[in-house]
Amino acid sequence: MAAAAARWNHVWVGTETGILKGVNLQRKQAANFTAAGQPRREEAASALCWGAGGETQILLGCADRTVRRFSTEEGVFQGQRHCPGGEGAFRGLAQADGTLITCVDSGILRVWRDDEAAAPDPLLELRVGPGVCRMRQDPARPHVVATGGKENALKVWDLQGSEEPIFRAKNVRNDWLDLRVPIWDQDIQFLPGSQKLITCTGYHQVRVYDPASPQRRPVLETTYGEYPLTAMTLTPEGNSVIVGNTHGQLAEIDIRQGRLLGCLKGLAGSVRGLQCHPSKPLLASCGLDRVLRIHRIRNPRGLEHKVYLKSQLNCLLLSGRENWEDEPQEPKEEPTEDTETDELWASLEAAAKPKLPNLNQTQGTLQTRPRKHKRPRSASP
């Protein structure tokens, strides 16, 4: 795929090998993009977000603490910024008002200027607590973010205000044995049109919090399955969420009543990334089984697309443009990334073919040896 055609990709996926993969569902093609020209596990992608200017730029958070900028218009990486501090992988990445927001596993949240040459040091640093699993930006208020993790309760931060959270969730009451309920928030979403937040936990719970209410505990809680929930996304209507767990199961849950609306044909491994289209009933999912799937929500057909991408997939971005078929018709190019695999399968198929008798090219008949007839034995006297 030509670099200029990168703008027409529908899904962008970050992998464990540091490759940014662009997938065009209309052409059924996938292309690899790397900053160094070859995959490196030291550059494993753990976070993706759109940069300034809509969907023309992608920010890629890598394991070596660099944030790389990729242009979807040019199909090339256009620079990077080193964001040191703390330990662990990036658990969240966002951009707001000319600044870059990063948060790592050890709980260091920092705000940087876009231009590293002008200001190599962070503008703001917050300690949000260790064991962070997710940092999520409020789409309606870009300067507001939420954090949560293992034994690290949900907190909401105003990056233009004080260094204390504007909301700190309180743990639920003890269970029926009067034992403390452990905390493990795996993913967070802001509910549009309100101040409410939704979390999914490693103990298969889905919770709704309302910072405007007097209580800091969840105003609604439900459970799904029996395995840890790892990812979550809001549906286009905003009345339900879709969650995925470590066993590849996907389910849609109504956040108004806390009931299960239905299940989707899930993945074969742990779910790492989920995102719904903002207006279409489409869901993109990826995980450790190395397959990108596009589901149609609440449709009997269910699975729309299935693309095998070779690497373990950590995160994804789904294009929000309305018309997915607006790509200009261009002649298809042969994919180059599967050459080695195709040659391997060709050799296996050649070895598996049965050997046929030789054909005489001039006569067009089979070459066979004359059969020897045995002399009959004489009868004994």
Side-chain angles (χ1 to χ4, degrees), residues 29 84 120 135 155 200 375:
Q29 290 181 347
M135 185 271 289
K155 302 180 186 69
C200 67
R375 180 180 300 176

Side-chain angles (χ1 to χ4, degrees), residues 14-301:
T15 68
E16 193 70 23
T17 54
I19 300 174
L20 177 65
K21 292 178 177 282
V23 181
N24 188 312
L25 299 174
Q26 184 177 349
R27 291 187 173 193
K28 302 185 183 301
Q29 290 181 347
N32 293 341
F33 301 93
T34 57
Q38 59 183 359
R40 296 179 54 196
R41 291 194 175 271
E42 296 81 7
E43 301 175 359
S46 58
L48 284 176
C49 76
W50 296 113
E55 298 184 359
T56 61
Q57 188 181 77
I58 295 175
L59 301 182
L60 181 71
C62 302
D64 59 358
R65 293 302 174 78
T66 59
V67 177
R68 292 176 168 82
R69 299 179 183 277
F70 178 82
S71 171
T72 59
E73 296 290 326
E74 303 294 334
V76 294
F77 285 90
Q78 294 183 332
Q80 64 183 31
R81 182 191 175 98
H82 187 53
C83 300
E87 298 178 355
F90 286 115
R91 297 303 181 186
L93 195 64
Q95 193 167 34
D97 301 329
T99 61
L100 179 66
I101 307 168
T102 62
C103 185
V104 294
D105 192 359
S106 60
I108 303 298
L109 187 151
R110 289 185 167 182
V111 180
W112 314 79
R113 285 195 186 276
D114 273 348
D115 189 3
E116 184 177 7
D121 297 327
L123 300 174
L124 175 67
E125 178 176 321
L126 298 175
R127 298 186 178 273
V128 300
V132 174
C133 294
R134 184 71 67 191
M135 185 271 289
R136 183 77 67 180
Q137 183 184 35
D138 186 353
R141 299 173 295 169
H143 57 90
V144 175
V145 298
T147 60
K150 194 164 189 178
E151 294 305 326
N152 188 347
L154 172 69
K155 302 180 186 69
V156 181
W157 307 82
D158 187 350
L159 303 181
Q160 296 178 351
S162 65
E163 296 185 359
E164 293 296 322
I166 58 177
F167 173 76
R168 188 192 301 267
K170 191 175 183 179
N171 195 12
V172 297
R173 292 183 174 86
N174 293 351
D175 62 10
W176 62 282
L177 290 174
D178 200 25
L179 298 176
R180 176 185 176 275
V181 178
I183 300 172
W184 191 2
D185 291 331
Q186 288 269 41
D187 204 349
I188 307 166
Q189 291 288 343
F190 284 88
L191 189 63
S194 70
Q195 299 183 16
K196 294 181 180 179
L197 299 97
I198 305 101
T199 65
C200 67
T201 75
Y203 302 107
H204 56 91
Q205 301 146 337
V206 176
R207 294 169 174 166
V208 180
Y209 292 87
D210 188 1
S213 67
Q215 63 173 344
R216 292 184 289 138
R217 291 190 171 99
V219 296
L220 184 144
E221 178 178 347
T222 187
T223 60
Y224 167 70
E226 54 186 30
Y227 303 110
L229 302 177
T230 54
M232 177 178 60
T233 181
L234 279 166
T235 57
E237 299 84 5
N239 297 324
S240 61
V241 293
I242 296 178
V243 295
N245 62 20
T246 56
H247 281 231
Q249 298 168 341
L250 300 174
E252 183 179 2
I253 297 175
D254 190 332
I255 56 176
R256 297 169 298 180
Q257 301 176 359
R259 62 187 181 92
L260 179 66
L261 297 178
C263 297
L264 299 171
K265 187 177 180 181
L267 288 72
S270 177
V271 180
R272 291 297 180 89
L274 290 175
Q275 186 178 347
C276 282
H277 192 277
S279 59
K280 297 175 179 290
L282 297 175
L283 168 73
S285 61
C286 69
L288 298 187
D289 65 351
R290 311 182 183 206
V291 177
L292 169 70
R293 291 175 174 85
I294 305 295
H295 289 86
R296 186 167 291 274
I297 307 171
R298 302 177 202 161
N299 190 290
R301 292 188 300 173

Side-chain angles (χ1 to χ4, degrees), residues 373-378:
H373 298 280
K374 293 182 179 181
R375 180 180 300 176
R377 296 182 180 181
S378 60

Side-chain angles (χ1 to χ4, degrees), residues 1 5-12 22-24 29 31 33 319 321:
M1 181 182 296
R7 69 172 68 95
W8 302 112
N9 288 330
H10 301 96
V11 191
W12 297 92
V23 181
N24 188 312
Q29 290 181 347
F33 301 93
S319 174
R321 68 175 185 264

